[in-house]
Amino acid sequence: MKKSFVFLVFLVLAISCKETEFSPEGPTDVRIRNSTGKDFSNVIIKTSDYEEDETTIALIPVNSTTEYMRFKKAFPKLQFKADIQLGSTTQTISTGTVDFTYLHYLSTQRVTFDVVSYSASGIPDLLLIPEEELVLK
């Protein structure tokens, strides 16, 4: 009786213990769209804590979109910093530092971050637009 009970317990444990499937962390293709009405210059974007997941773009004109840039890992939020020209002065807009610790990664996708507006304090509003799943070969 004890042997069959122990066998039954092991059988239930064996059936219930299956490996959880995780989607890959990346790569993720990201592009930036400028919908604010001002040209962006000296743009810096960072998609994760990895050093290689930071890039600089010289200029993103009004109502234009960059080409896709491949990042090792990306999250639904990103660090964004850009200069805009207000008359004869330059203002820096920035999301500030983003804590990526508890965010879920975007996995293997193509996404667009649309900068739709910014506040007087210089904080941009970014809209994440998922586009399609990447097909990796």
Side-chain angles (χ1 to χ4, degrees):
M1 181 73 172
K2 284 185 178 181
K3 288 182 181 182
S4 62
F5 178 73
V6 171
F7 178 74
L8 182 63
V9 168
F10 281 121
L11 183 64
V12 169
L13 287 174
I15 292 172
S16 64
C17 292
K18 64 178 183 179
E19 190 173 319
T20 305
E21 290 185 29
F22 292 102
S23 59
E25 293 180 356
T28 306
D29 286 355
V30 175
R31 64 184 181 172
I32 306 294
R33 182 178 300 141
N34 179 359
S35 300
T36 62
K38 297 282 185 185
D39 290 338
F40 293 154
S41 60
N42 304 320
V43 180
I44 300 171
I45 60 171
K46 185 172 182 177
T47 61
S48 77
D49 288 328
Y50 289 112
E51 271 186 42
E52 59 267 18
D53 284 343
E54 182 175 328
T55 192
T56 303
I57 305 164
L59 179 69
I60 305 175
V62 176
N63 298 324
S64 67
T65 305
T66 66
E67 295 294 321
Y68 284 104
M69 299 164 281
R70 180 146 297 173
F71 294 95
K72 184 175 181 179
K73 187 191 295 189
F75 295 95
K77 293 183 178 182
L78 60 77
Q79 287 180 209
F80 177 87
K81 183 178 178 183
D83 293 334
I84 56 172
Q85 203 63 33
L86 297 173
S88 62
T89 62
T90 301
Q91 179 184 1
T92 300
I93 61 172
S94 174
T95 59
T97 304
V98 175
D99 183 9
F100 298 109
T101 306
Y102 298 107
L103 296 176
H104 293 280
Y105 44 81
L106 293 173
S107 188
T108 53
Q109 291 189 50
R110 283 187 152 183
V111 298
T112 299
F113 282 93
D114 193 357
V115 185
V116 292
S117 65
Y118 56 91
S119 65
S121 61
I123 300 172
D125 295 320
L126 290 123
L127 177 65
L128 173 64
I129 305 168
E131 295 176 12
E132 63 186 355
E133 189 72 23
L134 279 177
V135 179
L136 301 174
K137 296 178 181 181

